[in-house]
Amino acid sequence: MKIHEFEVISGSHLAEIPNQARFFYQKSSWESLQQAYEQFQAADYPGNLLRFYDIESMELFSPFELEQAVSYGEPVYQSGKIYVPKADFRRGTVAILEYEFGAASRVFYERDIKDTQLENLYLVADPLCLISQTENLCCYYPREFSIALGEEESFRFFNDKEIYLSKWIEEELIKDSEIVDYKYYEKLIVRDFEGKVLSERAGCLQRIGQKWYLA
C-alpha cells in the first residue's frame, strides 16, 4: 500500500475542514481561543501556526504567519473559500479571515475582543456566521443577537426569521432501582430571535454535504 507523503511532515494529525472533503488543516497547537487567551493573560501566548493541505494535489499552504499573541480557531469552507476565526490578544480584536487558494488572505470581519465571548467561539458555514455557545447562544456575524438556550440545546443554523437548534433527549425507565428501558433521540427546536420556542418535534437535524436532513 502506497503512503502519500506531504512536503512537510510534522507528526500532528490533519483535521477535515467542514462542508467538503478535499482540504484539511493542521495547527501547531490545538488549544481553544479561550484557553489561548488565558495563557496570554497568565504570561504570554506564543501563537499557533495554521496550515492547509490539499489531499488531491498534495500541496501545502501556509497563508498566515506565526504571530506572538495570535490564535486561530477552526476553519470552515464556503463557496470555494476558507474562513478562519482569529483572535489577536495584543490588538484586542477578533476577526474572520477569508482565504482563497492562490490568492492573498484578507480580513473579512473584525470586532472588539472585549465584546466577544471567546468560550466555544466558532464559525458555521452556509450561511457564514460567528457564534459562541455556552448557556446562551451569542451571534456576532452576520447579525448580532443573544438568546438563552435550553438544556442540551445546540445551534445548527438560522434564517431571516428563525433559529434552528438540536436538543438531545435521554429517557430511562427505572423499576426496582434498575434501568429496564433506555431511549436516546434528538429533537428539532425552532426559536425566534427573542428566544421564544416556535415549534419542536422529534428528529435529528444533520448536515450532509451541502444539504440539511431531518431523520
Side-chain angles (χ1 to χ4, degrees), residues 3 10 20 36 41 48 60 69 83 92 95 100 104 109 111 114 122 130-131 139 170 180 188 195 198 203 207-209:
I3 297 177
S10 68
Q20 53 78 58
Q41 290 180 311
N48 62 16
L60 185 154
Y83 296 88
E100 186 173 5
Y109 169 79
R111 63 181 289 114
K114 293 179 181 178
Y122 63 98
L130 178 66
I131 68 167
C139 183
E170 287 185 300
V180 295
L188 169 62
L198 302 177
R207 180 171 183 156
I208 303 175

Side-chain angles (χ1 to χ4, degrees), residues 84-106:
V84 182
K86 171 187 176 181
D88 188 324
F89 305 130
R90 287 184 177 168
R91 289 186 63 237
T93 59
V94 171
I96 301 174
L97 302 181
E98 180 186 78
Y99 174 65
E100 186 173 5
F101 292 100
S105 64
R106 73 180 184 98

Side-chain angles (χ1 to χ4, degrees), residues 12 24 31 56 61 71 77 81 120 124 140 152 161 193:
S12 183
F24 288 68
E31 64 278 334
E56 291 186 9
F61 303 88
S71 182
Y77 181 89
K81 298 177 182 179
N120 293 327
V124 178
Y140 308 107
E152 318 304 346
K161 298 180 180 180
F193 288 92

